[in-house]
């Protein structure tokens, strides 16, 4: 996975609040074993904590920006994205949104951009207050993606993913799949309270996987608005395998087997490892969001 060294990164699409103090209250869930339990319950790659029963029960103030604002200072070019993890996330966010912006324009619509908030420990959102244990999530209340970079180490060490840069890109692209669903009005289908292999919750997650695959198919041909050249210049089959491996690692069946020793499909919220891989492949193979109808 390689970015154009000479590309200029748009850090306005990422809010870096790592190291900031979250005003008011205490985190609803903590780290350690409580965090692991939260992950086992299927909170990975989801939507806001209010929909997961993790909200602190009221509007919480957002974290204030760090005085360091690391990405704004350090992430300026594609060369930075090729050498720093946080800058890589900035570049992936830029690439994903470049694609969806162009796709909406092609379809005669207008894409509403969504920033990614990089935080550490805990963060206040329009969906309530959450800790890193929730994993990456999208909050429809403020149309922002939330990400603690420490999750990527958890993905490798706790969930057995091979890791790699594109595994990280898959996570980010999946969350932006939820943003697209929110813009289209389909995200709300996951809020009917049902779980299980055929539930709307699972179908929403699998569609977000498919949308991540659609972006991946077009990532190396989508021009950056400023340079006219693709921001992502190389994506290999090994990269795609890393993405598929990450998708499988967070399948409900894999997580349940690893942490509770048995698989209970009636409680699934995100889909099996095989389903998650299948729908990412569907998006990557077709490159067409119309082929991501998981509700049929």
């Amino acid at each position: 996975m390689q970015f154009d060294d000479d590309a200029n990164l748009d850090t306005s699409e990422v809010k870096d609040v790592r190291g900031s103090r979250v005003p008011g209250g205490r985190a609803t869930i903590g780290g350690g074993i409580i965090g692991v339990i939260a992950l086992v319950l299927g909170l990975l790659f989801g939507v806001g904590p209010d929909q997961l029963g993790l909200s602190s029960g009221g509007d919480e103030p957002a974290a204030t920006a760090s005085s360091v604002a690391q990405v704004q200072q350090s992430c300026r070019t594609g060369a930075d994205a090729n050498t720093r993890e946080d800058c890589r996330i900035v570049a992936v966010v830029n690439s994903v949104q470049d694609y969806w912006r162009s796709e909406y324009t092609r379809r005669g619509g207008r894409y509403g951009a969504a920033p990614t908030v990089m935080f550490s420990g805990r963060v206040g959102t329009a969906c309530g207050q959450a800790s890193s244990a929730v994993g990456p999530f999208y909050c429809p209340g403020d149309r922002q993606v939330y990400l603690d970079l420490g999750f990527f180490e958890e993905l490798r060490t706790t969930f057995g993913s091979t890791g790699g840069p594109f595994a990280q890109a898959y996570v980010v692209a999946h969350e932006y799949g939820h943003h697209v669903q929110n813009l289209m009005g389909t995200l709300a289908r996951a809020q009917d309270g049902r779980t299980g292999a055929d539930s709307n919750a699972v179908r929403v997650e699998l569609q977000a996987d498919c949308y991540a695959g659609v972006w991946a198919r077009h990532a190396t041909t989508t021009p950056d608005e400023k340079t006219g050249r693709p921001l992502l210049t190389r994506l290999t089959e090994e990269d795609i395998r890393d993405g598929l491996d990450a998708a499988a690692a967070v399948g409900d069946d894999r997580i349940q087997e690893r942490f509770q020793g048995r698989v209970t499909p009636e409680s699934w919220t995100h889909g099996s490892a095989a389903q998650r891989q299948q729908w990412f492949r569907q998006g990557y193979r077709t490159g067409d969001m119309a082929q991501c109808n998981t509700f049929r």
Side-chain angles (χ1 to χ4, degrees), residues 20-118:
S20 300
R21 185 179 67 84
V22 181
R26 301 174 62 186
T28 308
I29 55 178
I33 188 63
I34 299 300
V36 171
I37 291 171
L39 297 177
V40 171
L41 290 175
L43 306 185
L44 288 170
F45 294 10
V47 291
D50 62 327
Q51 296 160 291
L52 304 171
L54 300 177
S55 173
S56 54
D59 293 335
E60 293 286 345
T64 54
S66 167
S67 60
V68 178
Q70 297 173 56
V71 298
Q72 280 73 24
Q73 292 183 3
S74 303
C75 303
R76 299 184 181 278
T77 69
D80 297 326
N82 288 324
T83 56
R84 286 179 56 123
E85 181 181 57
D86 52 0
C87 299
R88 182 188 307 131
I89 299 306
V90 174
V92 171
V93 169
N94 290 171
S95 175
V96 170
Q97 297 211 104
D98 279 345
Y99 169 70
W100 287 115
R101 196 174 288 113
S102 67
E103 179 64 9
Y104 266 66
T105 299
R106 187 181 72 82
R107 291 172 175 267
R110 182 175 181 180
Y111 173 75
T116 282
V117 179
M118 287 186 190

Side-chain angles (χ1 to χ4, degrees), residues 42 44-45 170 174 195-199 201-207 209-210 243-257 263-281 294:
L44 288 170
F45 294 10
Y170 155 73
H174 173 99
T195 62
D198 295 322
S199 67
V202 167
R203 294 176 190 275
V204 161
E205 296 299 331
L206 296 179
Q207 186 176 63
D209 283 335
C210 189
L244 287 167
D245 185 75
V250 291
D252 283 324
D253 54 340
R254 292 273 186 94
I255 292 175
Q256 290 177 342
E257 182 66 34
V263 176
T264 54
E266 64 273 13
S267 65
W268 287 2
T269 56
H270 288 67
S272 69
Q275 286 176 314
R276 301 199 73 164
Q277 288 187 322
Q278 172 195 341
W279 281 102
F280 178 85
R281 284 195 188 100
T294 56

Side-chain angles (χ1 to χ4, degrees), residues 103-182:
E103 179 64 9
Y104 266 66
T105 299
R106 187 181 72 82
R107 291 172 175 267
R110 182 175 181 180
Y111 173 75
T116 282
V117 179
M118 287 186 190
F119 72 98
S120 56
R122 56 194 175 108
V123 67
T125 81
C127 296
Q129 194 173 133
S131 84
S132 300
V134 180
F137 66 92
Y138 170 75
C139 174
D142 55 25
R143 294 188 174 185
Q144 295 188 137
V145 171
Y146 290 86
L147 174 65
D148 186 326
L149 296 183
F151 169 75
F152 295 129
E153 182 65 14
E154 289 289 318
L155 183 63
R156 188 180 64 83
T157 60
T158 304
F159 294 94
S161 168
T162 56
F166 191 76
Q168 300 174 2
Y170 155 73
V171 171
V172 174
H174 173 99
E175 294 308 328
Y176 276 93
H178 286 314
H179 177 55
V180 172
Q181 289 171 324
N182 191 35

